[in-house]
Amino acid sequence: MTIKHLNFRAMRNSVKRTLVAGVMSLSLIGMTNSLWAAGPKEKNESRAVLKAREMVEESAYHDWKTLAKAAERCIVIDKNLKEAYDWLSMSLDLNESVYNLTVLGDYYLKNDLPVKAMNTYLKALGKGRSEIEDFDGRELESKVWVVRNIIYP
């Protein structure tokens, strides 16, 4: 073999090593990015649950709205639903309002109970129309239509 062939072979091996190292570093960067992207979301969700618990712990014993708001936070992120239901039950025991009935309907809908969700939304609509003079039930009516389309496709 001549010196030209040895230099070419060495250069070719060097290029192969560089390519392999580049591919490995790109895949490592891809894995790191996917892990990083997954990490904060999970942290944010657990922070939201912790924040909801903190809201409940710091609220007054008769604060039905804070209980409903904490439950709504958990329902929106689809975490801690059992505790959210317990908070909603306590909230409804303290004061049955349009707000906490709507959140309860959202809970039922999230748990694939569309008939219960429909009944709860209708109860909230009736309560709002009978107790609030300038009640705007458009949001609730749209939720009723969504649930109606789930029940009767």
Side-chain angles (χ1 to χ4, degrees):
M1 288 191 166
T2 65
I3 295 178
K4 279 186 173 180
H5 290 294
L6 289 175
N7 283 342
F8 179 72
R9 213 177 251 177
M11 191 167 57
R12 187 174 61 187
N13 288 339
S14 174
V15 169
K16 280 183 184 178
R17 279 187 293 235
T18 304
L19 285 174
V20 168
V23 168
M24 292 193 57
S25 64
L26 285 175
S27 63
L28 182 63
I29 289 170
M31 287 189 303
T32 304
N33 283 343
S34 65
L35 289 173
W36 179 80
K41 183 179 180 189
E42 292 170 7
K43 284 183 181 177
N44 287 341
E45 288 175 351
S46 63
R47 274 192 224 140
V49 171
L50 291 173
K51 179 67 177 164
R53 282 192 187 120
E54 184 181 311
M55 286 170 56
V56 170
E57 289 169 2
E58 291 176 357
S59 67
Y61 71 94
H62 61 279
D63 190 0
W64 62 269
K65 195 161 192 170
T66 300
L67 290 167
K69 282 182 182 180
E72 185 179 34
R73 272 182 181 235
C74 293
I75 292 166
V76 166
I77 63 170
D78 201 16
K79 298 282 183 195
N80 197 34
L81 295 180
K82 172 66 178 120
E83 197 168 19
Y85 181 77
D86 294 341
W87 293 335
L88 273 174
S89 296
M90 288 189 288
S91 174
L92 288 163
D93 287 344
L94 291 169
N95 179 32
E96 192 174 273
S97 72
V98 173
Y99 178 70
N100 56 16
L101 285 170
T102 304
V103 174
L104 182 61
D106 295 343
Y107 169 84
Y108 286 141
L109 192 57
K110 187 72 90 169
N111 285 290
D112 295 324
L113 300 167
V115 174
K116 283 187 171 188
M118 171 78 86
N119 291 335
T120 307
Y121 289 146
L122 290 173
K123 186 175 182 179
L125 264 173
K127 190 163 199 61
R129 288 182 177 148
S130 67
E131 295 179 5
I132 302 170
E133 187 174 323
D134 57 345
F135 178 70
D136 183 10
R138 287 180 285 187
E139 183 181 337
L140 267 171
E141 288 170 355
S142 67
K143 288 183 180 202
V144 167
W145 277 103
V146 167
V147 175
R148 182 199 169 280
N149 290 331
I150 292 171
I151 297 171
Y152 308 108

